[in-house]
Amino acid sequence: MSAETVRGEPKLQDVKMHLLRPTEPGIGIVTRNERCTASKKAAGFVRHIEIDVTGTPLVGQCWPGQSLGVIPDGVDGHGKPHKVRLYSLSSPLAGCDGQGRVYATTVKRSIDEHWDNHTLFLGVASNFLCDRQPGDKIMLSGPAGKRFVLPADPNAHDYLFFATGTGIAPYRGMILDLIGKGCTSRITLVMGSPYATDLIYHDFFLGIAEKHRNFTYLTAISREKAEGRSGLYVQDRLAVDRDHLLPQLSDERNLIYICGLAGMELGIFQQLALILQGDALEQYLRVDAAAMSDIRRWDRRMIHKEVRPTRRIMMEVYA
Ligand code: A2P
């Protein structure tokens, strides 16, 4: 077990899992499917998709931080039914309808070229989902996952959420749950995108930041100059906004959630090790002395070995 005991360790919310198995999926009906990037000129196609799960055991049981399984219609190249793919929920526990019957996910179309012959590659499940129209049926399983959820007592902690790309999905649901329940904890969201046009749910988070003083929304745009600086990755916010973030980071109440591209966790760990010292750092990371002497040379293989996150860090990263 990699996580090490630490003060302020959270007791996470108990959640149900696998109420629907991929071998006996339930049927959901799409009620809404719309682009959710900041501008229509966004480089990527990202869609907010709402699915009515009425009549399935999923009703009222899907927590943000968990995933739904989606089984695309049709068969694969070998004539076999498609396998299940997991998509993070972006809705709160009570769903988009307030009754736990309509849950949402956030999907980016996977569009690429085959590396060997440069023909078009389209990801099966992401394009299947993004193509769906209201009224279309979708085979669902889940919910899956229990380690990336909020604590059972949300008021007992503060939250520093890091997202890249569609890694933002769980935080939309979590923040709606926290704010909706009147949680007054400090909540800081750091969202990374290649271009400002590609920020996801941008107006939604701006609106929450305007109404709730305990919520701070920071963006990190990697391929544009902003605030007089060249591109930023989410971890750079730890240095740039150090004065704002240090008091929250140093508080025993604080938890860190990391969701998005594999690799982002390494950059965040390195930056934490650069700005925190001694006991403050040990609340999040246990680092071997030899590794501590050369932080900038860390690589991902060291995670869970020489560099061990504690239970104050929750991670969900994917290739
Ligand atoms: P970039 O691609 O400019 O290097 P999306 O999923 O929409 O492409 O957004 C992912 C964002 O995360 C981009 O801004 C991307 O920057 C950035 N990113 C890529 N690799 C890392 C990393 N190792 N750590 C933090 N951010 C990263």
Side-chain angles (χ1 to χ4, degrees):
M1 190 71 215
S2 57
E4 297 182 37
T5 312
V6 71
R7 291 196 310 275
E9 196 173 294
K11 184 191 173 313
L12 295 184
Q13 179 65 51
D14 274 332
V15 294
K16 300 245 171 70
M17 293 204 290
H18 313 307
L19 296 169
L20 285 171
R21 303 260 167 198
T23 44
E24 281 178 77
I27 300 292
I29 297 178
V30 173
T31 56
R32 190 176 190 157
N33 184 342
E34 60 194 25
R35 282 187 84 174
C36 54
T37 37
S39 158
K40 288 207 165 61
K41 291 188 180 147
F45 297 96
V46 183
R47 305 194 73 90
H48 172 83
I49 302 172
E50 297 187 1
I51 306 169
D52 189 336
V53 299
T54 301
T56 76
L58 300 178
V59 171
Q61 299 295 345
C62 299
W63 292 82
Q66 291 192 288
S67 301
L68 281 181
V70 170
I71 303 148
D73 291 352
V75 291
D76 65 18
H78 305 287
K80 298 223 166 99
H82 287 299
K83 292 199 174 69
V84 65
R85 267 80 158 189
L86 296 181
Y87 285 90
S88 276
L89 288 147
S90 49
S91 38
L93 175 64
C96 310
D97 60 334
Q99 319 242 319
R101 293 176 181 281
V102 179
Y103 287 113
T105 184
T106 313
V107 184
K108 181 175 187 178
R109 285 188 187 272
S110 161
I111 303 173
D112 210 336
E113 286 184 345
H114 286 282
W115 65 270
D116 49 350
N117 62 4
H118 64 80
T119 56
L120 179 65
F121 168 85
L122 292 176
V124 172
S126 67
N127 286 292
F128 167 78
L129 275 170
C130 287
D131 286 352
R132 292 309 94 197
Q133 307 292 320
D136 284 353
K137 294 181 175 155
I138 296 183
M139 285 187 279
L140 298 174
S141 65
K146 61 176 181 181
R147 294 185 196 281
F148 197 76
V149 293
L150 287 172
D153 177 5
N155 284 304
H157 297 276
D158 293 325
Y159 304 91
L160 177 50
F161 294 138
F162 288 100
T164 51
T166 51
I168 194 74
Y171 303 132
R172 179 181 179 274
M174 288 179 181
I175 289 165
L176 279 168
D177 265 348
L178 291 169
I179 299 280
K181 287 175 188 150
C183 178
T184 53
S185 301
R186 270 178 291 195
I187 308 167
T188 304
L189 170 65
V190 186
M191 165 61 178
S193 258
Y195 305 100
T197 49
D198 287 61
L199 287 165
I200 301 170
Y201 300 127
H202 183 55
D203 288 342
F204 167 79
F205 290 120
L206 285 177
I208 299 209
E210 208 169 283
K211 283 200 207 103
H212 300 274
R213 295 198 54 184
N214 58 324
F215 176 64
T216 306
Y217 174 50
L218 301 171
T219 60
I221 307 299
S222 57
R223 300 186 199 173
E224 287 172 21
K225 247 187 156 176
E227 300 163 39
R229 294 187 184 85
S230 56
L232 287 184
Y233 274 178
V234 282
Q235 59 267 30
D236 298 326
R237 280 282 170 206
L238 288 167
V240 173
D241 292 87
R242 193 189 150 118
D243 291 348
H244 173 80
L245 295 174
L246 213 47
Q248 180 174 340
L249 274 170
S250 314
D251 195 317
E252 251 178 56
R253 291 170 46 91
N254 191 58
L255 303 177
I256 296 179
Y257 286 69
I258 299 173
C259 188
L261 288 179
M264 67 181 290
E265 76 283 36
L266 176 69
I268 291 170
F269 292 172
Q270 286 174 296
Q271 203 56 50
L272 287 173
L274 289 167
I275 66 166
L276 298 175
Q277 273 98 44
D279 185 55
L281 177 62
E282 290 212 340
Q283 300 306 305
Y284 301 104
L285 290 179
R286 302 289 160 90
V287 185
D288 288 355
M292 207 55 208
S293 64
D294 204 353
I295 297 165
R296 292 186 196 277
R297 291 181 68 124
W298 290 2
D299 72 56
R300 283 193 80 215
R301 285 167 299 191
M302 295 167 75
I303 298 177
H304 301 303
K305 295 189 183 112
E306 294 95 329
V307 179
R308 299 176 298 279
T310 70
R311 291 183 204 278
R312 297 258 302 270
I313 297 189
M314 267 54 68
M315 276 195 287
E316 188 94 346
V317 294
Y318 40 81

